[in-house]
Amino acid sequence: MTDTNHRPVRTTIVFGLFCGLAFIPLSTGLSILIYFPRAFAITLWLFVAVYSILLARIARKKMTDVFFPLIVLFLLSISGQFYLSFIVMSAGVLSWVRSGICFKGRRFLIAEMITFFPGAAALVCFMPHSAVTWALSIWLFFLVQSLYFNLTDLGQDRSEKSGVDDFEQAKRAAERILSERPRILF
């Protein structure tokens, strides 16, 4: 739980790897039930939805704050907007959630612009032709998205920001506690 709050870069990379690995079985399983383009879109929607919830946890926002963008994207996923347009819309909704709801400010918007275009290009320009290349493209997308946290300094621990590691901080706190206690002489 604390790992999600303190290491968003690692969380994003691991989640992207999970999405890449889960893409083939999930989209194939859904395509048995519904027409493949819709199964593809719903699979991407699930990834964006779970990642949006993770972003809300990282930003310590209410989960209900991200519901409206996710509902809009879900309606688009079942409406027939497929492949290129749906991918761009998914990246747009993810940007809306991350820089419009979870993290607000000018530096976040600039970081969003820097990571949005290469991330969308990883999915659109690479134009995957098989499930395996789609899975790799999805992981590549999340790898690019992890740069967002490095550009905004959200990806650093408190100990990395202060330049002192956690053990050193604990040692100093213990020394301060011991030095404040009155000494008892026997």
Side-chain angles (χ1 to χ4, degrees):
M1 218 182 259
T2 59
D3 189 14
T4 305
N5 292 330
H6 296 296
R7 301 195 190 276
V9 174
R10 183 173 51 184
T11 302
T12 300
I13 292 171
V14 169
F15 181 72
L17 180 62
F18 169 76
C19 290
L21 293 172
F23 175 77
I24 295 172
L26 190 57
S27 63
T28 305
L30 283 175
S31 68
I32 293 170
L33 302 172
I34 54 179
Y35 185 58
F36 178 74
R38 285 203 172 109
F40 170 81
I42 289 173
T43 301
L44 289 184
W45 176 81
L46 283 171
F47 295 158
V48 171
V50 172
Y51 189 60
S52 296
I53 292 169
L54 282 172
L55 287 173
R57 286 193 56 189
I58 290 169
R60 293 184 175 95
K61 300 285 183 177
K62 294 183 290 187
M63 306 264 182
T64 56
D65 292 345
V66 299
F67 283 166
F68 179 71
L70 293 177
I71 289 170
V72 169
L73 188 63
F74 181 73
L75 293 175
L76 290 172
S77 73
I78 60 174
S79 72
Q81 300 291 329
F82 301 118
Y83 294 119
L84 181 61
S85 61
F86 185 75
I87 291 167
V88 172
M89 289 180 208
S90 296
V93 166
L94 183 60
S95 297
W96 177 11
V97 167
R98 186 167 51 193
S99 291
I101 296 173
C102 292
F103 309 107
K104 295 180 181 178
R106 185 176 177 188
R107 70 180 178 155
F108 298 113
L109 186 59
I110 292 169
E112 191 66 54
M113 288 180 185
I114 291 171
T115 58
F116 175 80
F117 294 111
L123 288 174
V124 174
C125 294
F126 186 57
M127 218 29 132
H129 299 290
S130 69
V132 173
T133 55
W134 269 113
L136 289 172
S137 296
I138 290 170
W139 187 40
L140 179 62
F141 173 80
F142 280 103
L143 286 174
V144 172
Q145 295 306 304
S146 69
L147 293 174
Y148 175 86
F149 298 105
N150 286 329
L151 294 172
T152 59
D153 293 333
L154 291 172
Q156 297 179 351
D157 279 343
R158 288 170 291 177
S159 60
E160 291 174 357
K161 288 181 182 179
S162 66
V164 180
D165 73 320
D166 292 333
F167 182 76
E168 187 65 32
Q169 288 176 348
K171 178 184 163 213
R172 287 181 185 170
E175 287 174 347
R176 190 173 47 251
I177 290 170
L178 290 174
S179 67
E180 292 173 358
R181 289 187 157 214
R183 296 182 187 251
I184 300 174
L185 297 174
F186 293 101

